[in-house]
Amino acid sequence: MAAAVAAGALMGVLAGCSSGSTGSSPAGSDAAKGAAGAASAVASATGPAGGESGAGASVPASASASAAATGAGAASGAASAPTTGGGGAGASAPPAGAATPGADLEAVLLDDKLVGQVLPDAKAMAGWEEEKRKVDTIDHATTCTASVPCTGKPLSGSVRFSSGDLVARFIVETLPTRDAAKGKLKESYASYGAGPFRKVDSPVLGSESQVFQGQLGEGEGIGIVLRSGTVVASVTTEGGPADVAAARRFGAMLVKRIEQAQAGRTPDAGLGLA
């Protein structure tokens, strides 16, 4: 029963991230809110699944974006995403991910404009098409806009990109303290642990992280849940062969952008800079 609830919660959040374009409809907001509640309920009932990860800001997906580089490109670490369908050709693959924990900073990111900058943009995701982006309060009750700012509140930001059949989603949740972020991370671990996912051994990203593999959409997907100081985030990839290395590279880029924001810099890390 717990597994079914958790799986439903995760898929509900994914649906909220994939429907619509900019902003969020009331229905999408309600779905995401319900999914987050379900995930929290599972976490309370089952406790955290071992390993490391995130929470409502953590949803699975899996993208196969690594392609073997040859000649000088291989020597420099350059890579390009595999061609899947018609639109995947030329999509940039992210570089190798970090292998050691990052700085466990106490800096808080409770500014909706800054959270929007932390999420990867078209420049960071060269070769990929942005499909949906939004920033709202962490309870998904209020969508943040220029006329309705959310500064000072815990926030949730999400963005989805595609390249041919490949889909990559990034979710960031900002908390007021590291302890609050650790608690949120445990909720995410529990949601994945109770669902149709298995843990995959992988080097740590950020302060702590865990990689999961399991059914996403119509095939196998990869979900990485991580914490970087007071921020809990997730990267999910789907639509091609499950590729942990490619998903990790996306995760490394996201961690870099979070750390840049925490250090007072404008996030600008991309697939070639993470």
Side-chain angles (χ1 to χ4, degrees):
M1 182 64 179
V5 174
L10 290 169
M11 296 314 296
V13 178
L14 284 175
C17 184
S18 60
S19 61
S21 53
T22 0
S24 61
S25 67
S29 179
D30 290 344
K33 187 174 181 181
S40 297
V42 172
S44 300
T46 63
E52 322 106 67
S53 186
S58 324
V59 189
S62 116
S64 168
S66 310
T70 58
S76 64
S80 59
T83 302
T84 307
S92 301
T100 56
D104 199 359
L105 302 178
E106 187 67 58
V108 296
L109 306 181
L110 303 182
D111 183 312
D112 54 293
K113 293 184 180 62
L114 184 55
V115 171
Q117 292 176 338
V118 167
L119 294 170
D121 55 15
K123 183 178 180 180
M125 292 288 288
W128 292 72
E129 180 181 355
E130 182 177 317
E131 297 183 343
K132 178 178 173 66
R133 170 185 298 267
K134 74 171 180 177
V135 177
D136 55 7
T137 51
I138 203 166
D139 59 3
H140 307 294
T142 303
T143 297
C144 309
T145 63
S147 58
V148 185
C150 306
T151 302
K153 301 176 181 179
L155 301 169
S156 173
S158 63
V159 64
R160 166 186 162 128
F161 290 88
S162 67
S163 178
D165 293 335
L166 305 178
V167 174
R169 295 180 181 85
F170 300 85
I171 300 176
V172 171
E173 290 186 331
T174 64
L175 287 303
T177 66
R178 279 182 301 198
D179 285 345
K182 290 177 182 179
K184 194 71 171 171
L185 187 66
K186 289 180 180 179
E187 291 180 16
S188 294
Y189 284 158
S191 296
Y192 276 90
F197 303 97
R198 63 184 180 279
K199 290 188 211 175
V200 177
D201 290 335
S202 183
V204 173
L205 288 170
S207 306
E208 50 183 324
S209 66
Q210 179 63 59
V211 177
F212 296 90
Q213 182 172 339
Q215 185 72 26
L216 285 173
E218 298 180 357
E220 283 280 295
I222 302 296
I224 300 178
V225 187
L226 62 91
R227 181 181 67 82
S228 179
T230 61
V231 178
V232 172
S234 70
V235 176
T236 60
T237 60
E238 64 183 78
D243 190 337
V244 174
R248 271 187 52 79
R249 292 166 189 150
F250 285 119
M253 174 184 67
L254 184 57
V255 167
K256 181 65 175 178
R257 293 177 74 90
I258 292 170
E259 291 178 344
Q260 287 176 324
Q262 290 171 327
R265 298 167 52 195
T266 299
D268 62 1
L271 296 182
L273 299 176

